[in-house]
Amino acid sequence: MSTLDTSGRVIKGWDTSVEEGWDKSISWRTLAISTFSLTLGFCVWFLVSAIAPKLNEIGFQLSASQLYWLAAIPGLSGGCIRLIYMFMPPLIGTRKMVGFTSLLFLIPMAGWGFAVTNPDTPYWWLLVLAAMTGIGGGCFSGYMPSTGYFFPKRMSGTALGLQAGIGNFGVSLIQLMAPWLMGFTLLGIGFVAPQRTQGDTDIWVHNVAFFFIPWAILASILAFVFLKDVPVTANFKQQLDIFGNKNTWILTIIYIMTFGAFSGFSAQYALLVNKTFGAASEFAHTYNPADLPKGATFAFLAPLIGSSVRAAWGPLCDKFGGAIWTFICGVGMTISTIVAGYFLKPSSPDDFWWYLGAMLVMFFFGGLGNAGTFKQMPMILPPRQAGGVIGWTAAIASFGPFFVGIALSSMDAQLFYYCCAGFFAFATALTWIYYARPNAPFPG
């Protein structure tokens, strides 16, 4: 007879290894609310990448290096915060973690909303605000392990794929909505004066930050009212046992290839396009800048594809296993990154379209690999360790925006792409040797 008791804030007798030990309605409700909050979190995390390309148009005077750093700092802070969040689920539970985190989103959103209204805002304060947005990416390492506790292994690919994929959609959402939101005043915040571009056009850059504030408040209310905790507990020391498992380190390398590339190239994409093909490129001297590609116009496409594939591929990972899809991802990412790198020495602005196509292919395979690796972890590791490894790998990979930003500000972009391709090939080889080949030691 089942001992499951769901009447309290902490569920008693929760055990997803037996059918009568878990409640599907609670599991899916938890997935829905935490995914809603996570999507907003990714909007917060990539807020700077959506705003940065417009800063110099509204009176700021920032160099290309300073802009790259601004877009890179959220990756650094997000990764550091993930190292904290990976320990959160067994310590404070799902309900408090999602509820309080949603409220924390308000700080960077309000901060950026007011900062962009004054072009005299000091650069050091912009860097601080950029670091604050890291909370949006950092919570991923708590939300994903927590969700893993609510579903059996046979459904882990679907559940984690949906949460990560829809959550990652926040990257595309903020980049897609930003140009639209900047175009008009919003009801209730019309008292904030618009900024004026160099072309004497009114633009409401602050809208991008202010728009998401009420949604974050709603996410917090939903979490505190409807979420429950499962009886998975462990102190800090107990959770460190994941570092004695070699799969932790192998999967970290692989996830840097998939999510590290997704987050890193997404954050820097608009700035790189502007510098290589757009108004900040050498082509601006011989072409009408208005006719050149604008990074902000296309920035949403890449993460949209990666996120969609990640969400959609979960059921296929449950059916065929995650390892084979991760391997296919690695092959595809290696080839497409080499092709994209080739077009970073353009002979004309028309080369942008080849570059864009190669990047979209790369993001497709990145989404495939993200779904595959998150299916592998619950299959290879016991539940608590799987949660810890999910949090750890996500933390390290989230430094992607920081390292990609630093690399692009300090070295040739084409060389960097070729270096990335070499790393992807190495990670793909590890996937084949340990997980994907026939008779692999750790199939999953």
Side-chain angles (χ1 to χ4, degrees), residues 119-130:
D120 293 325
T121 301
Y123 182 66
W124 67 265
W125 180 239
L126 296 181
L127 290 174
V128 171
L129 291 173

Side-chain angles (χ1 to χ4, degrees), residues 202-287:
D202 286 343
I203 185 172
W204 289 262
V205 178
H206 53 265
N207 284 357
V208 184
F210 288 141
F211 174 80
F212 292 97
I213 288 178
W215 300 106
I217 295 173
L218 175 61
S220 180
I221 293 172
L222 291 174
F224 283 122
V225 173
F226 293 108
L227 293 187
K228 296 178 181 290
D229 299 322
V230 295
V232 177
T233 59
N235 61 37
F236 178 83
K237 183 177 181 179
Q238 289 171 324
Q239 295 185 64
L240 295 178
D241 63 357
I242 63 172
F243 299 114
N245 190 324
K246 70 178 181 180
N247 286 294
T248 298
W249 303 105
I250 299 171
L251 290 167
T252 299
I253 293 172
I254 295 170
Y255 199 60
I256 290 173
M257 171 181 69
T258 57
F259 184 77
F262 170 89
S263 60
F265 287 113
S266 292
Q268 303 295 339
Y269 181 80
L271 292 173
L272 181 59
V273 169
N274 289 345
K275 182 179 179 182
T276 307
F277 303 96
S281 71
E282 60 183 19
F283 298 120
H285 301 298
T286 53
Y287 291 82

